[in-house]
Structures are given as structure tokens and as C-alpha cells.
Amino acid sequence: MLNEPRTYSHSPIRIGLIIFVLGALGIFLLTTMDWTDKFFLIPFVGFFGIIFITVLYSMMQKATISDDEISTQTFLGTKSLRWSEISRVSGQGYGIKLHNFDGDVTVAPNQQLPGYEELVDWIGVKRPDLFNPLAYGEMKRGWFTLVSLAALVIFFVAVLLGSGILFFNNPQAPVSVWIPFFFIVIIAAIFFGVAFSSPQSVTIDGRSLFIKYLFSEKTLPANEIASVGLSFTQTRNGKNYFVLLTQMNGKAIRIAGLSIGLPIIYLVLKNWHRKNSAMDLTTQ
């Protein structure tokens, strides 16, 4: 139970610092540019203005939760839903969206808010019925991921063929000619490594999870999982979230990139694990 409402937002100091940096950068660029070149200046000002407004819009967002409701606030207005008014959830990527029964009001907290993981947990606490494991039997990657992987394979094969043709036509070419090919091979190897090591689908079957990779499968009973968590890595572009399954032997499995919103996957797996690990305790 929440003793008092909790608000998740960016600190005013951070918002002010970002506004100052972007504003100073904009003033510097505008004062050093040639104002006679309007064909270049006008699109540049428009592009920079879009970036400024987008960043400011994201940084000014807030989310507040209480025992009665959840609300989000931007400089465009406030949206609120009482917990009892929420009929379903949806989401893609790192986002989660709450819908009312009429479908005309939605609340979607910004995933880059400080404390977003705690906010997601509170949604699961207040409405655990929305994340029934029986309603999410199989969670898998969408078609876009498979198409992207196929395109990468075709591109990689084309690069190998091109480098082979270049080598046979000019075997005495200097090493500098091959440097771009080496970089492409390294980048492709990284993408392939991520694709091979990332789960392609997660299926809930009773008290076990079936985790499918590109060329292998893994069965993970509930009693072999120590915890289910929502974790992230911090990058220059913000937080990259993933579901972390920590096994009893200390090994960990990361789940991300599935077609269902990651917070939904996390809360579904958390409910499934809580129920089935409790069953293990009662049968001992």
C-alpha cells in the first residue's frame, strides 16, 4: 500500500542544465552561421527546434501513482486513470500503456523517467490480474527483427562476395583497401553474436519456461529460477531495459526485443514465478 502519492520526474537541475546546453549551442550556431544562406539556415533552424522541443517534452514529463490512481503529466495536459478503470494493457519496446474500458483514455508513463522500474512494479502490485500468465502463453520476436536479420545476412554475404572478387582481381591491393571490409565483418559478427545469444521466444508451459534461441532451446523450471527482475544498462541515448532471469546456479538470462512490451513480459513472468515457486514451497 502507498502511504502517500509518489511522483516520478526528472530533477529541475538536470532539466535546467539541458535547456542551458541546448540553448547555448543554438545561439552559438546561429551567431556563427552565414545568415545570407537562407536555403540552408531555415531547414537547420527547423531541425534544431524540433530536437529542442522533443528533448524538452521528454524531460518535462511526470508520472504520479497513489492508492487510487495513476496519472501522467506533460506540458500538453494530464491524463489519469483510477486503478479500477483499467481494462487492459499494451506496449512495445520498453513502454507500457494502460487503457480504460471505453478505450478513449490511455496512460503511458515515459520509460526514461527516474525510478521507472519501481513504477512498473507498482502497476503490477495494484493490478496483477492484468498480467495473468495464462493470457500470455507465447511471447516472441516480431517480423521486423527477422527481416532485419535476413537483410543483415544478405548484406554480409554480398560484402564477402565483393571482397573475394576484389581480391582475385587485384591481389596486390594495399592493406588500407581491406580496412572497411574488416570493420564490416567485425560489426556483422557483433550483430550475429547478439542474435544468436538473444531469446527468440519465451513460452510458458505450466511450471516451466521454454526459451528458444535461433539454433537451440532451453527448458527452465520455476524452481531453478532465483528471481525475475527488470534491469537496465545506461547508455548515452538513455536506459536499455531487459528482463533478467537469475538462476539458482548464479547464471543469468537476459530477455529483450520481443514484440510485447518489456514491462508486460516482466510482470507476467514475475507473476508466473511467484505462483509456481510458492507451489514448490507448499509441496515440500
Side-chain angles (χ1 to χ4, degrees):
M1 179 176 292
L2 292 164
N3 295 325
E4 59 184 18
R6 299 192 182 190
T7 298
Y8 301 86
S9 63
H10 294 281
S11 68
I13 296 177
R14 185 178 182 185
I15 296 174
L17 181 61
I18 291 178
I19 292 176
F20 173 78
V21 171
L22 289 177
L25 178 62
I27 293 174
F28 171 77
L29 292 174
L30 289 177
T31 54
T32 56
M33 291 175 60
D34 184 6
W35 283 80
T36 60
D37 190 0
K38 296 182 180 180
F39 291 102
F40 174 76
L41 182 63
I42 294 176
F44 174 81
V45 172
F47 179 72
F48 188 84
I50 292 174
I51 293 178
F52 184 84
I53 294 174
T54 301
V55 172
L56 185 61
Y57 177 80
S58 177
M59 295 298 295
M60 294 294 290
Q61 292 190 46
K62 297 180 181 180
T64 302
I65 58 173
S66 67
D67 277 332
D68 299 321
E69 65 178 13
I70 178 172
S71 63
T72 56
Q73 180 181 351
T74 68
F75 50 60
L76 297 178
T78 301
K79 292 184 177 182
S80 300
L81 278 176
R82 297 183 66 84
W83 296 113
S84 59
E85 295 175 338
I86 302 173
S87 65
R88 66 183 183 90
V89 294
S90 65
Q92 292 182 336
Y94 306 144
I96 183 171
K97 182 180 292 187
L98 311 174
H99 303 254
N100 69 342
F101 284 93
D102 294 331
D104 57 346
V105 179
T106 60
V107 172
N110 188 303
Q111 56 262 36
Q112 294 300 330
L113 285 173
Y116 180 68
E117 316 84 60
E118 181 183 89
L119 191 155
V120 170
D121 270 317
W122 275 115
I123 293 175
V125 170
K126 302 303 292 186
R127 288 297 306 270
D129 57 297
L130 297 172
F131 309 96
N132 186 351
L134 297 178
Y136 296 88
E138 183 180 21
M139 299 169 282
K140 57 184 179 180
R141 289 182 179 271
W143 63 267
F144 179 78
T145 302
L146 298 177
V147 171
S148 300
L149 183 60
L152 179 61
V153 171
I154 295 173
F155 176 74
F156 183 65
V157 171
V159 169
L160 290 180
L161 291 175
S163 60
I165 293 173
L166 178 62
F167 176 77
F168 284 111
N169 290 337
N170 189 10
Q172 304 300 324
V175 177
S176 59
V177 174
W178 304 102
I179 292 179
F181 293 104
F182 293 148
F183 276 110
I184 292 175
V185 170
I186 292 174
I187 294 173
I190 294 174
F191 275 103
F192 281 130
V194 172
F196 292 151
S197 61
S198 300
Q200 300 300 302
S201 67
V202 177
T203 303
I204 299 175
D205 188 359
R207 300 172 66 182
S208 296
L209 290 182
F210 291 93
I211 303 176
K212 185 176 181 180
Y213 299 87
L214 280 177
F215 299 111
S216 64
E217 294 184 6
K218 182 180 182 65
T219 301
L220 198 59
N223 59 3
E224 293 184 8
I225 301 175
S227 64
V228 179
L230 182 62
S231 302
F232 65 89
T233 55
Q234 186 70 52
T235 68
R236 290 182 298 177
N237 298 322
K239 297 178 180 178
N240 291 333
Y241 286 95
F242 56 90
V243 176
L244 185 66
L245 303 180
T246 303
Q247 302 178 65
M248 291 295 186
N249 58 11
K251 295 181 179 180
I253 297 176
R254 293 189 179 191
I255 298 174
L258 304 183
S259 58
I260 302 175
L262 198 67
I264 298 176
I265 297 173
Y266 162 63
L267 293 175
V268 168
L269 293 180
K270 186 176 181 180
N271 284 347
W272 167 82
H273 181 251
R274 182 189 297 114
K275 178 181 176 180
N276 288 278
S277 60
M279 290 175 58
D280 284 324
L281 291 175
T282 58
T283 55
Q284 291 180 358

